[in-house]
Amino acid sequence: MNNGSTAEFATVDPADLLTDSNIRHDLRLTDAFRESIAEQGVLTPITVCRTAAGPLRVLTGHRRTAAALEAGLTQIPALIVGDEGDGTDAAVERLVTQWSENEHRAAITNGERLALFETLADHGLTSTKIARRTKAPRTEIEAALTLRDTE
């Protein structure tokens, strides 16, 4: 991939993208992830590169792209980061980038979940509304808010 130029933001149709080069063998699209994409769209742009043949190839964001396709979305945000390179060096760069993007993620901690539920409640949302918006179990939210009220 030639990164000599700056990234270009674009809105793209996920049906037009090449998704054939991915380190994941199983995208593990959970129902919650699918629902999130269907309801809110793709919130974080995928990254793509231009191929010599013309179509854009997904570099990172295969799960978001697949969920968008399942949801019937025709427009998702993307960063076009240059032209696809060829040869071993380009393949290695693509693989290492995908590994790094996925390997170094950190899930939200239980304390952060609790703080989020508390903050949403402080903004006037009921446990039912918090559950609807976050897709977290209402019983979990109510337990978290009960803990706060007993402190």
Side-chain angles (χ1 to χ4, degrees):
M1 175 176 49
N2 177 3
N3 284 333
S5 62
T6 59
E8 169 191 346
F9 181 78
T11 302
V12 299
D13 185 339
D16 295 338
L17 302 173
L18 299 173
T19 58
D20 54 338
S21 298
N22 187 8
I23 63 170
R24 287 186 186 271
H25 298 161
D26 177 0
L27 293 178
R28 295 183 292 284
L29 299 178
T30 63
D31 289 341
F33 185 72
R34 286 181 174 103
E35 288 175 23
S36 173
I37 296 292
E39 290 177 10
Q40 298 183 15
V42 174
L43 301 176
T44 302
I46 63 169
T47 58
V48 298
C49 64
R50 289 182 218 81
T51 64
L56 297 172
R57 174 167 280 122
V58 176
L59 298 173
T60 62
H62 289 83
R63 295 180 72 239
R64 287 168 275 162
T65 301
L69 283 168
E70 285 187 19
L73 301 181
T74 59
Q75 300 290 302
I76 62 173
L79 288 175
I80 303 171
V81 294
D83 298 325
E84 182 176 52
D86 58 3
T88 301
D89 289 344
V92 167
E93 183 64 26
R94 176 184 51 76
L95 295 169
V96 170
T97 298
Q98 289 178 0
W99 176 83
S100 183
E101 194 228 5
N102 289 287
E103 184 67 17
H104 300 293
R105 291 190 178 165
I108 295 173
T109 67
N110 288 335
E112 291 165 334
R113 286 174 70 91
L114 173 64
L116 169 67
F117 299 153
E118 291 174 348
T119 302
L120 291 173
D122 290 343
H123 285 293
L125 273 68
T126 64
S127 59
T128 300
K129 287 182 180 178
I130 294 170
R132 190 176 306 127
R133 297 294 304 270
T134 64
K135 305 297 187 223
R138 194 177 79 193
T139 54
E140 177 185 340
I141 296 161
E142 289 173 347
L145 297 178
T146 299
L147 277 175
R148 175 185 71 164
D149 293 340
T150 61
E151 292 180 344

